[in-house]
């Protein structure tokens, strides 16, 4: 009986020591090591890829945001506009609309959005690319296609009193190619493009 209790006690004590050791290793040491490596090797990404302008944080290059007229839900013609967002670009509420491609509601939404984008940018509906009227799976995609950026050039140039050629060059300078030359699609980061646009406007 005593031997049985002693053996049980030793097993319980061994289990507790193992639990403590694993807690320290997986709950403290491992997270600290991974965080340290991330901060050292990928400081910007590990910190959320935040962007500051004049010392003020204006957003993250990884998260999309709205560019509306202040105090309204109407897009500001002075800025390049992002993809639609099902969550109003809330990073705490990501996700698509969950509507299927053939859902009549989605078809109507896309059709209405295409007309709005075409009218807003004074281009034919046939020139409106898919990403201009459909949200991403995350609802916070920070990038748009070069095609969507290009149909906005004339409208942005006119609203800011800039030569279209300068705005066109600005767009082309901000086109990022496929990762490793073959992964993904060419894209334009809207926040970075609008920051460059602000700098260009300030010079005129």
């Amino acid at each position: 009986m005593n031997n049985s209790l002693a053996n049980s006690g030793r097993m319980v004590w061994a289990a507790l020591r193992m639990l403590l050791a694993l807690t320290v290793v997986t709950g403290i040491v491992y997270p600290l090591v991974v965080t340290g490596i991330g901060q050292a090797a990928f400081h910007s990404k590990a910190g959320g890829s935040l962007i500051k302008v004049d010392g003020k944080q204006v957003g993250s290059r990884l998260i999309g945001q709205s560019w509306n007229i202040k105090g309204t839900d109407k897009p500001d013609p002075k800025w390049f506009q992002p993809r639609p967002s099902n969550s109003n670009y809330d990073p705490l509420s990501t996700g698509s609309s969950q509507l299927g491609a053939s859902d009549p509601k989605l078809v109507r939404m896309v059709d209405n959005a295409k007309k709005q984008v075409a009218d807003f940018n004074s281009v034919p509906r046939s020139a409106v690319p898919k990403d201009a009227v459909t949200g991403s799976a995350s609802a916070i995609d920070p990038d748009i296609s070069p095609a969507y950026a290009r149909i906005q050039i004339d409208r942005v140039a006119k609203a800011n009193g800039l030569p279209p050629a300068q705005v066109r060059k600005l767009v082309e300078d901000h086109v990022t190619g496929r990762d490793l030359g073959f992964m993904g699609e060419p894209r334009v980061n809207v926040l970075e493009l609008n920051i460059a646009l602000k700098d260009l406007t300030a010079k005129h």
Side-chain angles (χ1 to χ4, degrees):
M1 182 69 176
N2 289 336
N3 287 338
S4 178
L5 288 174
N7 288 335
S8 296
R10 283 195 294 271
M11 291 176 64
V12 169
W13 175 235
L16 288 174
R17 284 184 295 173
M18 180 64 71
L19 176 62
L20 179 61
L22 289 174
T23 299
V24 171
V25 171
T26 61
I28 299 176
V29 176
Y30 177 74
L32 288 176
V33 170
V34 172
T35 300
I37 293 174
Q39 288 290 344
F42 310 100
H43 179 70
S44 177
K45 291 183 178 180
S49 297
L50 302 178
I51 296 179
K52 290 185 178 181
V53 176
D54 298 327
K56 181 181 178 182
Q57 183 179 313
V58 296
S60 166
R61 61 173 47 89
L62 302 178
I63 300 176
Q65 58 182 277
S66 63
W67 293 88
N68 294 337
I69 297 173
K70 190 173 182 179
T72 75
D73 60 355
K74 297 181 179 180
D76 193 330
K78 292 183 177 181
W79 301 110
F80 285 92
Q81 295 297 317
R83 296 183 67 169
S85 171
N86 186 58
S87 68
N88 196 30
Y89 311 99
D90 182 356
L92 299 179
S93 179
T94 60
S96 67
S97 66
Q98 304 300 315
L99 297 176
S102 61
D103 190 303
K105 183 178 179 181
L106 180 62
V107 173
R108 287 194 300 271
M109 288 171 56
V110 169
D111 190 59
N112 290 335
K114 182 173 287 190
K115 182 180 184 306
Q116 292 174 2
V117 171
D119 291 346
F120 186 58
N121 293 286
S122 301
V123 298
R125 293 179 58 159
S126 60
V128 177
K130 290 186 293 185
D131 64 307
V133 295
T134 57
S136 64
S138 68
I140 56 173
D141 191 343
D143 304 319
I144 58 176
S145 67
Y148 186 23
R150 288 167 185 146
I151 69 167
Q152 301 185 62
I153 289 173
D154 288 342
R155 183 253 303 159
V156 168
K158 181 178 180 182
N160 288 283
L162 296 170
Q166 289 189 5
V167 180
R168 184 171 295 107
K169 183 178 185 305
L170 202 67
V171 168
E172 299 305 326
D173 288 345
H174 283 79
V175 174
T176 300
R178 291 180 171 87
D179 295 330
L180 301 178
F182 66 93
M183 292 171 46
E185 295 293 332
R187 59 198 180 277
V188 178
N189 187 279
V190 179
L191 176 58
E192 292 179 340
L193 178 59
N194 278 335
I195 290 173
L197 173 64
K198 180 182 178 182
D199 291 340
L200 179 61
T201 303
K203 295 176 183 178
H204 282 258

